Amino acid sequence: MNLFKQLCGTACCLLGLLALPATVSAAPAKKPAKTAAKPAEKKTDKKSDKADAKKDSKKAAKPAADKKSDKTPNAKGKAADKNKKNDQDTRKDKNQDKAKKAKDSAKDKARDAKNGKTKEKQPESAKTKEKERGYDFQEDLLSVGAFEVSLKKGESIVFSASLEEANPKNLAKDFSKFLKERADRNSFEECLQYTASQFIIHKAGETRIKAGYHWYDSTTRDTFIALPGIALSGSTAKIFDEVLQSALKYYYNGCFARDISTHIVNPVFDADTSLWFFWTLQQYEKETTRTKKQIWKEYGETLKAILNAFKSREHKTMRMDDNGLIWSDDLSRPLTWFNAESNYGAIVPRNGYVVEVNALWYNAVCYALELAKDAKDKTFLSEWGTMPETIAESFNQIFWIESEKYLADYANHTHQNTEVRPNQLLACALDYSPLSEKRQRKVLAIITQELLTPKGLRSLSPESPRYEGESVGNVFVRDKATFNGSVHPWFVGFYVEANLKLFGDTYIPDGKAFLENFEEEINTHGVGLISAIYDGNPPFNPRGCISNAKNVAEILRAQWLLSDKK
């Protein structure tokens, strides 16, 4: 990949990099028409200089010797006392100056706080960041060299680093061509679209969605959630088709594997991943010209196999119970997007009936019935036709907390978890909801009141004793905070969608104002990027990987929902 940097005047420099900087070429700097004449150097006589220096040293030494001979023991004592007093006065003056500066600084801070001003935080070094994250932060760094060039007003230079030797005469031309091919990034939306396109990768003959930069790989859950928003950044139908076809290679016996990798030997399955596939197809239908009949024809068999796998209990850790709900249970590892784990299992255990899994389940069954009805698949309609009613009734019985007017995060045979978490939002935002409109409004109200921040939704209400407002520390501490208070921006799309469903176009101005909160973020943790998570406490500092596919995608989809393009 070629990278170029252009220096214009005294302020602008563009550096181009091709893989590793093995060979460096530079186009010669253009000289201005006139240059200042170099002043002539004055010649000196070395012998004369030495003689003068010798005379000066003798003159300086003589008074010193005379002064020394005049000193007496009594004079020495007086001089010492005088020096001691001078030192004390100096220290006293320094302490007074220091106290005055501290007092002035305190006044300045108090005045700034009163006026709502805060001192701009200095950027953290890589070492500080690694220390904060509980990793090794001290090492010897090899510097292979540096390049310097002096430019005068009106001069410019194109600098290139590559694996192969380049002709400096062609650099300016190559750079101009690069600028013309570069995508526009003149607005917040254009920056997000450009960033979204970077998550589309081609590997092993497949088109995948990379979950995030720099250390995330491709996973099916993140792919299904991010795909609709990322597809909006380019040729929508083409991106959908290529990514979905690649993802189907990781579908086994009615379930998608967690990871997208050709190195999978024993695939791992989660409770919600396959159900996200139904939601992705719903967005596929909305964003393209694909009809329900076409989608059922191409993906119908896969959809039916997924539903039947839950119904027939193909996988022991996740099944459909007699009440129509999905039960997921694995003490050794997490089965939902709350996927942080330690040596003792899930950091946030959620075994039993999980709220977002069953909201997705209800939506999946209803959407499959809608597709089958359009395609006139009578067999499927007769087998699954009464299931939505059964699921909805059980969903309300299991999850609705009447005294609090919101949904439990999960429930099992021993208790109902009543922590306020964002997962219940899906029961309001998805196309098919098992809740009445009245209950949806109640759920949205508690989410807005306790979880909403300028950067998205907190993973846990600050009212909870388990709440963690900052994600700082070693891996375990950070993982615990990630799902117990940290803000996850990817819920933004669903939050906007739920409000549009319940309040219609009257929400559009508020929705657009809400999304403006993210404009400042594209210059905070990475240029043009949205970080993985943010602290639950103000000032909502960015944490985790600097660019997250779900987050970028859902902000883009939220913009699309609020626009007149849909």
Side-chain angles (χ1 to χ4, degrees):
M1 179 179 76
N2 286 323
L3 285 172
F4 297 97
K5 233 174 192 183
Q6 186 177 33
L7 265 170
C8 298
T10 59
C12 195
C13 177
L14 180 58
L15 178 63
L17 180 65
L18 289 175
L20 298 174
T23 303
V24 178
S25 306
K30 297 178 182 178
K31 295 182 179 181
K34 295 182 180 180
T35 56
K38 187 176 181 181
E41 294 181 0
K42 187 177 180 180
K43 294 184 179 180
T44 58
D45 189 340
K46 292 184 179 180
K47 292 182 179 180
S48 176
D49 285 348
K50 287 181 179 180
D52 292 341
K54 193 171 182 180
K55 287 180 182 179
D56 292 340
S57 65
K58 286 182 178 180
K59 289 179 182 178
K62 188 174 181 181
D66 293 343
K67 189 174 183 180
K68 184 176 180 181
S69 63
D70 291 340
K71 288 183 178 179
T72 62
N74 188 39
K76 286 182 180 179
K78 289 181 179 179
D81 291 341
K82 187 175 182 181
N83 290 337
K84 184 177 181 181
K85 187 176 184 304
N86 290 337
D87 290 341
Q88 290 175 344
D89 291 342
T90 301
R91 284 196 296 271
K92 184 177 180 181
D93 291 341
K94 286 182 178 180
N95 290 335
Q96 288 177 345
D97 290 342
K98 190 174 181 181
K100 187 176 182 300
K101 288 180 180 179
K103 188 176 181 180
D104 292 341
S105 178
K107 286 182 178 178
D108 291 339
K109 288 180 180 179
R111 184 176 62 253
D112 290 342
K114 185 178 180 181
N115 297 330
K117 296 180 181 179
T118 55
K119 187 176 180 181
E120 185 176 350
K121 187 178 179 181
Q122 295 298 316
E124 296 176 298
S125 68
K127 288 185 178 181
T128 304
K129 202 69 179 175
E130 292 302 285
K131 183 179 180 181
E132 176 190 286
R133 293 172 62 81
Y135 296 136
D136 293 336
F137 61 95
Q138 293 179 326
E139 60 183 330
D140 295 327
L141 298 176
L142 173 65
S143 177
V144 295
F147 299 92
E148 292 184 5
V149 61
S150 298
L151 295 177
K152 297 178 181 179
K153 186 176 180 180
E155 290 183 332
S156 64
I157 187 171
V158 176
F159 184 95
S160 171
S162 64
L163 289 173
E164 298 177 358
E165 186 176 354
N167 186 348
K169 294 181 179 179
N170 297 330
L171 294 183
K173 182 180 177 182
D174 292 341
F175 176 66
S176 297
K177 182 181 178 182
F178 166 76
L179 285 182
K180 291 178 181 178
E181 295 174 350
R182 186 180 178 184
D184 291 333
R185 282 179 281 179
N186 301 317
S187 68
F188 174 57
E189 186 173 2
E190 285 179 349
C191 286
L192 287 184
Q193 289 174 344
Y194 180 79
T195 300
S197 67
Q198 295 176 328
F199 295 113
I200 303 172
I201 61 174
H202 302 280
K203 191 173 183 180
E206 300 169 2
T207 303
R208 303 176 182 176
I209 301 294
K210 187 173 176 64
Y213 289 99
H214 296 87
W215 54 78
Y216 287 172
D217 294 320
S218 297
T219 65
T220 45
R221 180 192 293 114
D222 284 51
T223 293
F224 292 150
I225 295 174
L227 179 55
I230 288 177
L232 290 169
S233 67
S235 180
T236 306
K238 184 175 182 291
I239 296 172
F240 261 111
D241 290 336
E242 291 180 358
V243 174
L244 288 176
Q245 290 303 315
S246 296
L248 284 169
K249 295 180 181 180
Y250 302 93
Y251 167 81
Y252 310 90
N253 301 322
C255 199
F256 282 93
R258 172 190 289 184
D259 301 307
I260 294 178
S261 172
T262 54
H263 302 294
I264 289 180
V265 178
N266 297 310
V268 176
F269 304 101
D270 292 330
D272 60 331
T273 300
S274 298
L275 302 176
W276 279 112
F277 182 60
F278 290 76
W279 177 83
T280 304
L281 291 177
Q282 284 175 295
Q283 313 318 308
Y284 182 42
E285 181 191 341
K286 294 174 186 177
E287 296 178 18
T288 69
T289 57
R290 297 292 191 273
T291 64
K292 290 180 176 62
K293 189 177 291 186
Q294 288 174 324
I295 292 175
W296 187 252
K297 181 180 180 180
E298 188 168 359
Y299 299 103
E301 293 304 315
T302 302
L303 299 180
K304 288 189 285 186
I306 291 172
L307 298 180
N308 286 324
F310 281 105
K311 188 177 181 180
S312 63
R313 304 186 178 187
E314 181 75 27
H315 301 282
K316 295 180 180 179
T317 56
M318 43 199 170
R319 65 178 189 270
M320 186 187 86
D321 274 354
D322 294 337
N323 61 7
L325 297 181
I326 301 300
W327 175 278
S328 54
D329 190 358
D330 190 337
L331 297 178
S332 64
R333 67 178 186 88
L335 295 173
T336 70
W337 77 278
F338 273 41
N339 54 9
E341 54 186 317
S342 66
N343 294 333
Y344 305 100
I347 290 178
V348 183
R350 303 173 76 218
N351 295 313
Y353 299 116
V354 180
V355 68
E356 81 272 15
V357 172
N358 281 283
L360 286 164
W361 170 247
Y362 180 81
N363 180 72
V365 173
C366 290
Y367 183 57
L369 286 168
E370 182 185 344
L371 295 176
K373 182 179 179 181
D374 205 66
K376 298 179 180 179
D377 189 334
K378 295 180 180 179
T379 303
F380 182 81
L381 291 171
S382 63
E383 183 180 356
W384 290 86
T386 61
M387 282 304 300
E389 184 178 351
T390 303
I391 298 171
E393 183 180 353
S394 298
F395 187 94
N396 281 270
Q397 289 176 354
I398 295 293
F399 294 107
W400 184 252
I401 308 171
E402 182 59 34
S403 60
E404 304 293 339
K405 308 299 182 186
Y406 63 86
L407 297 173
D409 191 57
Y410 68 91
N412 51 40
H413 300 313
T414 59
H415 79 289
Q416 186 185 51
N417 182 277
T418 59
E419 292 175 317
V420 178
R421 293 188 180 272
N423 304 302
Q424 59 186 311
L425 176 63
L426 295 187
C428 305
L430 298 176
D431 287 359
Y432 299 97
S433 173
L435 298 177
S436 65
E437 183 176 321
K438 182 180 179 180
R439 287 189 171 182
Q440 289 182 50
R441 288 175 181 267
K442 293 290 185 182
V443 169
L444 192 58
I446 194 71
I447 287 172
T448 302
Q449 180 181 338
E450 297 192 23
L451 302 179
L452 185 64
T453 75
K455 309 306 176 190
L457 300 185
R458 295 184 178 96
S459 51
L460 180 64
S461 168
E463 301 297 322
S464 171
R466 292 208 293 171
Y467 175 76
E468 301 280 349
E470 290 186 350
S471 181
V472 178
N474 59 38
V475 176
F476 176 78
V477 171
R478 285 186 283 109
D479 281 349
K480 189 170 67 169
T482 297
F483 299 108
N484 283 312
S486 294
V487 175
H488 295 262
W490 69 270
F491 277 107
V492 165
F494 295 97
Y495 182 77
V496 167
E497 195 165 21
N499 275 282
L500 288 172
K501 277 180 63 180
L502 295 172
F503 304 107
D505 291 347
T506 59
Y507 173 73
I508 291 177
D510 290 337
K512 289 183 176 180
F514 174 51
L515 293 183
E516 288 177 1
N517 290 313
F518 289 96
E519 291 197 28
E520 63 183 6
E521 288 308 313
I522 62 175
N523 292 314
T524 301
H525 212 193
V527 179
L529 313 176
I530 303 295
S531 301
I533 58 173
Y534 293 81
D535 284 340
N537 289 346
F540 310 109
N541 290 319
R543 307 290 183 186
C545 75
I546 65 173
S547 188
N548 183 274
K550 296 197 306 292
N551 295 347
V552 171
E554 278 301 280
I555 294 173
L556 276 172
R557 193 174 72 88
Q559 288 181 324
W560 181 76
L561 289 169
L562 293 166
S563 71
D564 55 1
K565 299 175 185 177
K566 62 183 188 299

